[in-house]
């Protein structure tokens, strides 16, 4: 179904002040018991123009974040587990290690609220945490 997606994303690098960006965009949303999927087109503001981002949430505990387009990556998040992902920005890839700290999905047929926070390492060097607070409403 068509939805309005409000995203507040915060990046806290170990050596810097936290940086938060907010994005309000239209996207697509699919709800089935146990599996929620939503996607949207990134914008120039996020620095990922030309990229489609898709979140798939399984049983409220396993999240796959997929980016396709100019940037390609598939990231998996399960609280308490470390997963690696290749982040391909077209000019070369970076190896990311991701460890979910919190996953909270209060979602139903019409949308809801989704929170994800995770620690990130780039090429095996710890560099900080990222978090998303996402609100989804049917249009």
């Amino acid at each position: 179904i068509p939805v309005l997606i409000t995203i507040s994303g915060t990046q806290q690098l170990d050596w810097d002040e936290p940086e938060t960006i907010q994005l309000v965009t239209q996207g697509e949303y699919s709800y089935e018991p146990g599996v929620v999927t939503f996607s949207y087109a990134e914008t120039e503001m996020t620095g990922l123009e030309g990229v489609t981002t898709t979140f798939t949430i399984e049983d409220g505990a396993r999240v796959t974040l997929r980016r396709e387009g100019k940037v390609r990556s598939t990231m998996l998040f399960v609280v308490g587990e470390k997963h690696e992902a290749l982040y391909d920005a077209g000019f070369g890839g970076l190896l990311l290690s991701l460890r979910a700290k919190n996953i909270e999905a209060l979602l139903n047929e019409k949308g809801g609220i989704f929170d994800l926070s995770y620690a990130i390492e780039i090429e095996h060097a710890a560099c900080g945490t990222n978090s998303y607070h996402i609100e989804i409403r049917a249009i």
Side-chain angles (χ1 to χ4, degrees):
I1 63 170
V3 290
L4 189 65
I5 302 172
T6 304
I7 302 165
S8 179
T10 302
Q11 184 174 49
Q12 169 68 66
L13 299 175
D14 289 344
W15 57 86
D16 209 353
E17 292 296 311
E19 182 182 346
T20 299
I21 63 166
Q22 298 215 336
L23 172 68
V24 178
T25 188
Q26 291 186 8
E28 288 295 316
Y29 180 79
S30 165
Y31 176 90
E32 295 173 24
V35 181
V36 174
T37 301
F38 63 93
S39 62
Y40 58 91
E42 295 283 355
T43 68
E44 191 177 325
M45 187 181 87
T46 63
L48 294 172
E49 190 176 21
V51 173
T52 299
T53 295
T54 303
F55 283 89
T56 303
I57 304 150
E58 299 170 71
D59 299 322
R62 178 185 174 96
V63 177
T64 304
L65 190 169
R66 208 172 260 108
R67 289 205 165 103
E68 296 172 330
K70 289 181 186 175
V71 169
R72 290 196 322 271
S73 72
T74 300
M75 302 179 214
L76 177 62
F77 302 96
V78 179
V79 172
E81 295 181 12
K82 185 176 183 175
H83 293 274
E84 293 190 337
L86 187 64
Y87 191 88
D88 180 1
F91 51 81
L94 289 174
L95 180 64
L96 306 181
S97 296
L98 311 159
R99 185 182 303 271
K101 298 168 109 179
N102 179 54
I103 294 171
E104 195 166 338
L106 302 170
L107 301 164
N108 60 31
E109 296 87 351
K110 296 179 179 141
I113 296 173
F114 169 62
D115 289 296
L116 169 66
S117 66
Y118 59 94
I120 185 167
E121 296 176 4
I122 299 176
E123 300 292 338
H124 302 291
C127 65
T129 57
N130 288 354
S131 62
Y132 291 101
H133 175 76
I134 301 174
E135 296 182 16
I136 302 164
R137 288 196 322 271
I139 295 176

